[in-house]
Amino acid sequence: MSVRLTLKHTKFANEKMGDKSTHAINGISTTSQDELARMGMSKAYHLLAIFLKHDKDVGSFTVWLQSMTSIEDRHAEAPGICLKAWCFHNL
């Protein structure tokens, strides 16, 4: 699946994460943000922790995210790709 790199992706990947919400991550819609918040994952760093537990593997993280939220298939890879880019720029 091809993911379009958006301004949202570029901005997130190139800035410090701080206390940004999960919605700041490319591909995370308001609906997915709400679903994640109900599970106690309201901050981008919560998803980063899960991404790191998946050894920065976009495919594995995508499967997990789809199992936990109703994220649309066309957006499912974008959060993992965005988090991988953030790791590249910031770790």
Side-chain angles (χ1 to χ4, degrees):
M1 179 181 289
S2 175
V3 174
R4 199 178 78 164
L5 299 183
T6 64
L7 179 60
K8 185 176 178 181
H9 168 96
T10 303
K11 184 176 178 181
F12 182 84
N14 290 301
E15 293 180 349
K16 298 296 179 198
M17 190 173 298
D19 281 336
K20 291 181 181 176
S21 75
T22 56
H23 192 258
I25 299 171
N26 192 36
I28 300 293
S29 66
T30 303
T31 301
S32 295
Q33 176 188 18
D34 292 343
E35 292 169 339
L36 291 164
R38 282 193 292 275
M39 292 182 274
M41 293 183 267
S42 60
K43 302 293 183 183
Y45 58 77
H46 293 136
L47 285 188
L48 175 63
I50 301 296
F51 182 70
L52 294 174
K53 285 182 183 179
H54 285 268
D55 293 325
K56 298 190 284 186
D57 181 270
V58 173
S60 176
F61 177 77
T62 300
V63 169
W64 173 84
L65 186 61
Q66 287 181 303
S67 73
M68 300 302 286
T69 69
S70 61
I71 193 166
E72 296 179 22
D73 287 343
R74 63 190 175 117
H75 298 294
E77 264 189 339
I81 291 170
C82 190
L83 287 168
K84 189 169 189 94
W86 187 91
C87 289
F88 177 80
H89 290 286
N90 295 282
L91 293 182

